[in-house]
Amino acid sequence: MSVQLLLIFDFIGTVAFAISGAITGIHKKMDILGVNILAIVTACGGGLMRDIVMGNFPPQMFVNPFYVLVAAIVANIVFLIMYFHKSVPLKYSGVYDRGLFIFDTLGLAAFMVDGVMIGVNFGYEDDLFLLTFLGFLTGVGGGVLRDILSVQMPAIFVKHVYALPVIIGGIIMVMLHEIMNTWDTAMVCSFAFVIILRAMARHFRWNLPKVKF
């Protein structure tokens, strides 16, 4: 079951981050090519960085471009919807921010699971630090690249404990597997944890400490 479940999480993460990247590109007034590139980078960038760390060459997005195609299709759908409904962002304040938060959260949670499982499939099931790092990198990597390309401070450094739930979620996922000896339950529970913690952070306005001048 783990393989099928992992494919589901892969698809959820790709679609969610592609929407996130497309929304950001449209908000930054990019043309349709820019929106497509940003969506693909957001959806596939974390996996690309993970594969480089793992020495998996060429990275999977170039060997099997299925998820690149999915990201491009999603980006064009979002672009066309926004193109023919230009008044939506103007009529409803906060649509951009809420949409970005929702799809970022889904992408973070799904790709955190994906990153941990890639490490497991490479034979590092007992390396808690590496598995957690791979989940972290896969989860946040695409969003960081998206923010850099759209010339804004990466959300990982400033918003709603962006990265912390991914780190904790990765640890929980590995620990649950140790306790219950099943990856399926560990994957679902850690996925839900990341979403719940990010939702609570947004609702209660939790942020990590900063130095204020």
Side-chain angles (χ1 to χ4, degrees):
M1 179 61 181
S2 293
V3 174
Q4 291 85 349
L5 194 58
L6 184 59
L7 290 174
I8 292 172
F9 282 123
D10 275 347
F11 192 79
I12 291 172
T14 300
V15 171
F17 267 154
I19 295 173
S20 168
I23 290 174
T24 300
I26 292 167
H27 183 72
K28 291 290 184 177
K29 304 188 187 311
M30 295 181 183
D31 60 23
I32 189 169
L33 178 61
V35 169
N36 271 267
I37 290 173
L38 203 62
I40 292 170
V41 166
T42 308
C44 302
L48 173 66
M49 296 166 73
R50 176 204 64 219
D51 286 347
I52 292 172
V53 169
M54 294 298 293
N56 185 22
F57 297 111
Q60 191 62 30
M61 66 176 288
F62 301 112
V63 175
N64 178 15
F66 172 74
Y67 291 111
V68 176
L69 180 60
V70 169
I73 291 172
V74 170
N76 282 287
I77 291 173
V78 172
F79 183 88
L80 290 173
I81 291 172
M82 298 299 290
Y83 185 83
F84 290 109
H85 295 83
K86 299 182 181 71
S87 62
V88 171
L90 299 177
K91 286 175 63 178
Y92 304 104
S93 60
V95 166
Y96 165 73
D97 184 60
R98 285 196 300 273
L100 194 62
F101 175 82
I102 291 169
F103 294 113
D104 247 10
T105 299
L106 286 173
L108 281 169
F111 279 159
M112 178 276 296
V113 170
D114 177 73
V116 172
M117 290 307 298
I118 289 295
V120 171
N121 292 337
F122 267 78
Y124 297 101
E125 186 172 317
D126 298 323
D127 193 331
L128 173 63
F129 178 73
L130 178 61
L131 294 181
T132 303
F133 177 75
L134 292 175
F136 167 78
L137 184 62
T138 310
V140 306
V144 170
L145 293 175
R146 175 202 64 209
D147 292 343
I148 292 172
L149 289 176
S150 57
V151 196
Q152 58 189 18
M153 175 67 75
I156 182 177
F157 300 128
V158 293
K159 291 180 67 176
H160 305 302
V161 288
Y162 189 96
L164 191 60
V166 182
I167 297 172
I168 300 174
I171 295 172
I172 288 175
M173 182 172 163
V174 177
M175 297 302 293
L176 280 176
H177 171 259
E178 291 294 321
I179 295 170
M180 307 178 73
N181 198 32
T182 169
W183 281 113
D184 289 352
T185 303
M187 290 162 72
V188 173
C189 290
S190 59
F191 175 80
F193 171 83
V194 174
I195 292 174
I196 292 170
L197 185 54
R198 283 218 77 210
M200 291 178 65
R202 180 179 173 88
H203 179 76
F204 293 108
R205 301 182 183 277
W206 294 340
N207 281 296
L208 296 179
K210 304 176 184 176
V211 176
K212 297 182 179 180
F213 296 96

